[in-house]
Every structure is written in structure tokens, then in C-alpha cells.
Amino acid sequence: MINDLKILDESPEYMLGYMDEDIILFNKGEKTAICIGDMYGNPYCRLIVNKVCIIGGDHLLIWENHQITTLDMVSDIVQMRIINDDVIEFLIDPWSKHASVWELNLKNRIPYKISDFESLKNMPYTEEYIW
């Protein structure tokens, strides 16, 4: 099973990946793998921040200490970045009409919109861009 895993991210303790639409977390120390959720389509982005795994795509999936939180009020999450140990930002598909930058506090798990993202509006699609 682990051989078919497409790796998303890795930390000293964990390896995060997916197979088909299932998201798998492998604990390196315990040598155990668990399915922490699934996502329609495959995940677009991911982060591991202080033993918290955040996966973005069709929705936002957060795993921490065997607790899973699914935030489906946001979708089409294509990129994420760490602001500090408690806060991340994520980008909603920059070519969609909902293109925007959001912030998520990892303690209260409440996402809020920071700004619209119009830098790529009416521009040709590209894999690389700065936000």
C-alpha cells in the first residue's frame, strides 16, 4: 500500500500522501498508516505544521492528534503557506470568480477572507505564480 502512495509532504514524524482520493498519514515512528479522510479529486496542497496536517483541495481537511476537522465552507484551495506556528494562509483558485486569500487560525479553526485575489484575472493559465 505505502508503495502506491503519492507523497504530499513529510516531517520527521509523518509522511502525508494520497492514493486515489484517500488521504493517508504514515507515522514513521510507529510504522502505522491511517486514512485521515478523502477528497473529491486529488488534494492540491498541504502543510505539516507542528504535528498538524492541513490538506487543501475540494475542501480543507485538518488532522491533529487523531482528531479530524473538515471545513467545506471553502473550496478549490490551490496553495497554502505558513504565517507562524498558529496561522496559515491559503489561496482559492486564482482563475475562478471566487479567487481570494484566506487566513486560518489553527487553534480556533475559523477561516476568514483576507482579500480578493485579482492579480491573475483574465490572464492565461500558468503553473507558477506569486501570491
Side-chain angles (χ1 to χ4, degrees):
M1 176 185 103
I2 201 75
N3 295 334
D4 297 330
L5 194 67
K6 293 174 185 77
I7 306 301
L8 292 168
D9 204 359
E10 201 165 347
S11 73
E13 297 89 5
Y14 300 109
M15 183 170 30
L16 182 64
Y18 69 95
M19 268 185 345
D20 300 318
E21 296 180 345
D22 292 329
I23 300 165
I24 309 294
L25 181 65
F26 181 74
N27 184 315
K28 295 177 180 179
E30 297 174 6
K31 296 188 179 6
T32 57
I34 59 169
C35 179
I36 61 171
D38 58 28
M39 192 161 296
Y40 179 75
N42 291 320
Y44 294 126
C45 53
R46 76 289 170 234
L47 292 173
I48 299 176
V49 183
N50 294 332
K51 298 184 181 182
V52 178
C53 299
I54 308 115
I55 302 97
D58 181 59
H59 58 273
L60 204 57
L61 182 77
I62 304 165
W63 179 92
E64 180 178 23
N65 197 25
H66 302 280
Q67 299 293 316
I68 298 167
T69 304
T70 301
L71 301 175
D72 54 8
M73 72 275 292
V74 289
S75 62
D76 299 323
I77 301 143
V78 296
Q79 288 193 14
M80 292 189 272
R81 61 185 174 204
I82 299 169
I83 301 303
N84 60 47
D85 287 346
D86 297 324
V87 178
I88 67 161
E89 288 181 349
F90 57 91
L91 177 64
I92 303 296
D93 183 355
W95 284 274
S96 75
K97 64 180 178 180
H98 303 289
S100 50
V101 177
W102 290 66
E103 185 172 279
L104 176 70
N105 182 307
L106 297 175
K107 301 247 185 260
N108 65 21
R109 311 270 163 94
I110 300 171
Y112 72 92
K113 185 176 173 180
I114 296 173
S115 66
D116 289 327
F117 186 80
E118 297 185 353
S119 300
L120 299 174
K121 193 174 186 175
N122 301 321
M123 299 291 286
Y125 178 80
T126 179
E127 288 287 327
E128 296 185 26
Y129 49 88
I130 297 172
W131 61 288

